[in-house]
Amino acid sequence: MYFVRTAGERDLEKVRVLLAESFHATYDELHGTTKVDDLIAHLFTPAALKARLVRRDAEFLVADNGRNIGGVGYAAMSHALTKTVMLHLLYVSPSLQRQGIGRDVFAELETCFPDAEIMRLEVEPQNAAAIAFYRAHGFTEVGRNENSGPGQSGIPSLIFEKPLEGH
């Protein structure tokens, strides 16, 4: 049984391992192991994870069963878009997918931003499982970004949005 809670500094190494596993399982076929290793090295350094943890207008959650971290979610208020929260990370350990962990983490994240009217995310166009998950949770496609990774990555993404309850 996994319980969703706020991440702490002691979780960051397990979170990093989960994100690396999930990224390889999701993206190796699409972009190749080397490119995925580069993304992981850039996005999930201990300093980058800690910066997310301490950001004031953000929420960093883990699904924890007392021994393992089974899922992770991170969202933050957008600085560029009014009343919009950006869902940056929602990953479940590959061996634990389709058991409701992602749903539970996502449901908690939705409640964490009372000032937000919209949740927005970017998803890899070929990541059919993630697209199906987001559509099932009320998101609709609103656009496309041709460089979603660091710099001019050339990695495209689809942009999805969902109105948040109570707005």
Side-chain angles (χ1 to χ4, degrees):
M1 185 78 176
Y2 283 83
F3 296 94
V4 178
R5 63 171 174 77
T6 301
E9 203 164 334
R10 62 184 168 35
D11 298 317
L12 293 183
E13 182 52 30
K14 286 182 178 178
V15 164
R16 195 188 63 70
V17 169
L18 182 148
L19 289 169
E21 273 180 23
S22 296
F23 257 55
H24 280 294
T26 305
Y27 303 117
D28 278 3
E29 276 188 42
L30 301 175
H31 301 296
T33 307
T34 304
K35 178 88 169 173
V36 174
D37 279 337
D38 290 347
L39 286 169
I40 291 166
H42 179 83
L43 294 171
F44 305 133
T45 63
L49 290 173
K50 188 167 182 190
R52 289 183 178 103
L53 196 63
V54 300
R55 185 168 162 183
R56 281 192 176 27
D57 59 351
E59 201 62 47
F60 198 148
L61 302 176
V62 292
D64 181 357
N65 72 355
R67 293 182 315 282
N68 298 308
I69 302 291
V72 61
Y74 175 76
M77 289 300 292
S78 171
H79 294 291
L81 302 166
T82 309
K83 295 189 180 288
T84 301
V85 61
M86 298 295 298
L87 178 61
H88 292 284
L89 299 173
L90 183 62
Y91 287 93
V92 173
S93 179
S95 63
L96 297 170
Q97 291 177 356
R98 308 200 67 79
Q99 296 179 32
I101 293 170
R103 179 199 62 221
D104 292 350
V105 172
F106 175 73
E108 184 66 25
L109 278 174
E110 278 189 300
T111 70
C112 292
F113 299 91
D115 295 335
E117 295 178 3
I118 293 169
M119 184 174 276
R120 185 178 177 119
L121 62 89
E122 293 189 20
V123 63
E124 155 69 55
Q126 297 176 74
N127 189 347
I131 290 169
F133 176 90
Y134 293 127
R135 284 203 164 114
H137 288 84
F139 283 86
T140 54
E141 185 178 335
V142 298
R144 185 176 170 98
N145 177 356
E146 296 305 327
N147 289 296
S148 69
Q152 295 297 305
S153 66
I155 298 173
S157 66
L158 302 177
I159 301 167
F160 278 71
E161 285 186 354
K162 171 186 181 164
L164 293 173
E165 296 301 315
H167 294 287

